[in-house]
């Protein structure tokens, strides 16, 4: 089914307004899911257009199935000013400058291949133990491991984290969105278009590789990126690479024609399995039913000398790279300004050197 983007956007805004109204309805004495909100409004969910909106504008953007999304908090995420950017060579382009000390930056000492197993606070000092029994000590630590890792409990904190922070960790949603990246021998899609979305006639597997992004304009190579969203994101991780690729090709043939796609060859592919990755346990956070705004406050609150950052701690920009970046700045400044009585030139540790932690480390150095 071919649909005009503007019509799709108008439809999405109308459905989102229904979510907001239903989420704030006086007859609801506690939070409901977006799915329940739609059902309460007796909205027809079986049409291909509505199924597409659920897939693309709800589950794709949030990284979570709609039955887990909070109707009250779903629309809290704010747009960030400035143009969207694509980094063809990955986020390493940002990190390399900070890590290597290019220009005016100070180079950072990052330990690679070290899996943190325990964080101990004693006498206002922090020690971090890794799986190879190495121990690193410092005046403070900024914890930016993904929320999924905190939920899994694979890092032990001594003493234990406060009950309010543990509750917030469990209440915050952490979703999953997987990608299938296919490079073809030749482009067969309109190169002036970026997104291609298919609305299947049936409401089953609506999140399984029905949304595709053309990377041709960014990398000048015939690359398409398919997305597995909602419950289908987790289901996709059970597929072998070949099965996942074939599933994607089947959908592309439905969208562009069997002969058109069949005439082309896949020359390279890669995929993600974020839920299965022990260092992520998912992709990014979302507003889950049952959580409150105080959960964000408790997640990012410091327990001197421990500071916390990551996209999941940002109320306005959760689930985004700029949210992670901003959280690193916030945590670093808090450490420097309120550093438990020690000066900003003390030794600080940073767990998980993704965007937030690396930014925090740079600002402190």
């Amino acid at each position: 089914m071919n649909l005009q983007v503007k019509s799709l956007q108008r439809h999405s805004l109308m459905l989102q307004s229904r979510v907001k109204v239903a989420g704030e309805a006086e007859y609801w004495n506690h939070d409901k899911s977006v799915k329940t909100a739609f059902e309460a409004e007796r909205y027809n969910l079986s049409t291909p257009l509505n199924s597409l909106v659920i897939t693309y504008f709800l589950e794709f953007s949030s990284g979570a199935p709609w039955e887990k999304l909070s109707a009250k908090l779903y629309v809290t995420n704010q747009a960030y000013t400035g143009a969207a950017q694509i980094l063809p060579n990955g986020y390493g382009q940002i990190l390399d400058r900070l890590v290597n000390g290019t220009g005016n930056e100070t180079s950072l000492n990052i330990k690679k291949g070290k899996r943190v197993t325990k964080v101990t606070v004693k006498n206002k000092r922090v020690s971090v133990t890794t799986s190879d029994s190495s121990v690193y000590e410092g005046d403070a630590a900024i914890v930016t491991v993904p929320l999924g890792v905190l939920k899994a409990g694979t890092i032990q904190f001594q003493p234990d984290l406060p009950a309010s922070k543990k509750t917030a960790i469990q209440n915050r949603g952490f979703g999953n969105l997987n990608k299938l990246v296919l490079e073809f021998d030749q482009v067969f899609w309109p190169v002036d278009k970026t997104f291609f979305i298919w609305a299947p006639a049936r409401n089953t597997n609506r999140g399984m590789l029905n949304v595709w992004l053309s990377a041709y304009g960014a990398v000048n190579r015939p690359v398409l990126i398919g997305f597995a969203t909602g419950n289908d994101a987790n289901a996709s991780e059970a597929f072998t690479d070949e099965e996942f690729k074939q599933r994607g090709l089947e959908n592309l043939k439905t969208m562009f024609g069997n002969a058109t796609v069949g005439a082309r060859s896949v020359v390279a592919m890669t995929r993600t399995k974020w839920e299965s990755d022990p260092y992520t346990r998912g992709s990014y956070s979302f507003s889950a039913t049952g959580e409150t705004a105080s959960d964000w406050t408790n997640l990012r609150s410091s327990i001197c000398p421990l500071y916390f950052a990551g996209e999941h701690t940002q109320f306005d920009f959760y689930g985004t790279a700029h949210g992670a970046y901003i959280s690193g700045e916030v945590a670093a400044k808090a450490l420097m300004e309120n550093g438990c009585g020690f000066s900003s030139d003390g030794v600080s540790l940073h767990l998980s050197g993704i965007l937030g932690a690396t930014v925090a480390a740079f600002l402190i150095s």
Side-chain angles (χ1 to χ4, degrees):
M1 174 182 291
N2 295 319
L3 299 167
Q4 294 296 324
V5 172
K6 289 185 178 179
S7 173
L8 201 58
Q9 290 174 335
R10 287 195 299 268
H11 199 68
S12 172
L13 289 173
M14 182 263 292
L15 291 184
Q16 289 185 33
S17 68
R18 285 178 173 268
V19 172
K20 182 175 178 60
V21 170
E24 296 175 350
E26 293 182 358
Y27 57 84
W28 283 6
N29 57 14
H30 59 281
D31 193 14
K32 299 289 185 180
S33 70
V34 169
K35 182 177 185 292
T36 301
F38 275 60
E39 292 172 342
E41 291 291 296
R42 295 182 173 86
Y43 200 79
N44 184 4
L45 306 174
S46 61
T47 68
L49 179 58
N50 288 350
S51 176
L52 177 57
V53 169
I54 293 167
T55 299
Y56 182 67
F57 288 98
L58 294 178
E59 296 183 333
F60 174 78
S61 62
S62 66
W66 69 324
E67 61 266 25
K68 294 183 179 181
L69 286 171
S70 166
K72 286 184 178 180
L73 298 176
Y74 170 72
V75 291
T76 59
N77 206 337
Q78 302 297 311
Y80 192 67
T81 57
Q85 299 293 328
I86 295 177
L87 303 176
N89 295 321
Y91 284 107
Q93 296 175 88
I94 297 176
L95 301 182
D96 285 347
R97 176 162 181 156
L98 299 177
V99 172
N100 298 327
T102 304
N104 295 326
E105 286 91 358
T106 302
S107 61
L108 303 176
N109 180 16
I110 294 182
K111 303 294 184 182
K112 299 180 179 179
K114 298 285 187 176
R115 181 172 60 85
V116 175
T117 58
K118 185 168 65 175
V119 178
T120 304
V121 176
K122 186 176 182 180
N123 298 326
K124 293 188 177 182
R125 293 273 296 173
V126 181
S127 64
V128 174
T129 305
T130 59
S131 57
D132 61 359
S133 299
S134 298
V135 178
Y136 303 90
E137 295 187 352
D139 297 301
I142 299 179
V143 181
T144 69
V145 297
L147 179 60
V149 175
L150 293 176
K151 283 177 172 290
T154 54
I155 298 177
Q156 179 185 4
F157 290 87
Q158 292 185 346
D160 201 3
L161 296 176
S164 59
K165 188 173 288 289
K166 292 171 66 176
T167 298
I169 289 171
Q170 295 308 316
N171 283 351
R172 279 290 277 137
F174 199 64
N176 190 20
L177 184 143
N178 279 314
K179 300 177 183 179
L180 171 65
V181 183
L182 299 178
E183 182 176 0
F184 293 88
D185 59 341
Q186 186 176 321
V187 173
F188 58 82
W189 58 90
V191 295
D192 60 335
K193 306 298 181 185
T194 303
F195 273 101
F196 303 94
I197 309 170
W198 173 49
R202 294 189 303 171
N203 201 29
T204 57
N205 299 123
R206 65 171 183 269
M208 187 63 77
L209 302 175
N210 296 327
V211 177
W212 291 82
L213 167 69
S214 171
Y216 180 81
V219 299
N220 198 31
R221 290 161 61 184
V223 174
L224 285 175
I225 304 173
F227 299 88
T229 67
N231 290 314
D232 288 312
N234 287 351
S236 72
E237 300 196 11
F239 293 156
T240 65
D241 289 354
E242 182 62 25
E243 290 171 339
F244 202 30
K245 181 183 75 172
Q246 290 302 323
R247 185 62 178 268
L249 290 174
E250 289 174 8
N251 286 7
L252 289 173
K253 289 176 181 178
T254 302
M255 298 169 69
F256 294 99
N258 185 72
T260 299
V261 179
R264 305 272 60 88
S265 299
V266 175
V267 298
M269 72 157 283
T270 188
R271 64 181 296 189
T272 62
K273 298 173 70 173
W274 294 118
E275 178 72 20
S276 304
D277 189 329
Y279 303 112
T280 56
R281 308 279 182 161
S283 52
Y284 45 81
S285 64
F286 66 91
S287 297
T289 54
E291 73 176 65
T292 64
S294 63
D295 288 323
W296 274 283
T297 301
N298 292 330
L299 274 174
R300 66 173 176 266
S301 63
S302 60
I303 313 168
C304 195
L306 291 182
Y307 295 80
F308 294 82
E311 55 81 18
H312 53 277
T313 67
Q314 285 292 304
F315 186 79
D316 288 331
F317 306 119
Y318 62 88
T320 66
H322 53 272
Y325 192 100
I326 292 170
S327 75
E329 292 183 319
V330 171
K333 290 177 181 178
L335 192 158
M336 290 187 290
E337 293 172 359
N338 311 306
C340 301
F342 59 81
S343 63
S344 61
D345 59 356
V347 177
S348 56
L349 306 172
H350 311 87
L351 310 180
S352 185
I354 310 300
L355 219 48
T358 306
V359 172
F362 165 64
L363 289 176
I364 293 169
S365 298

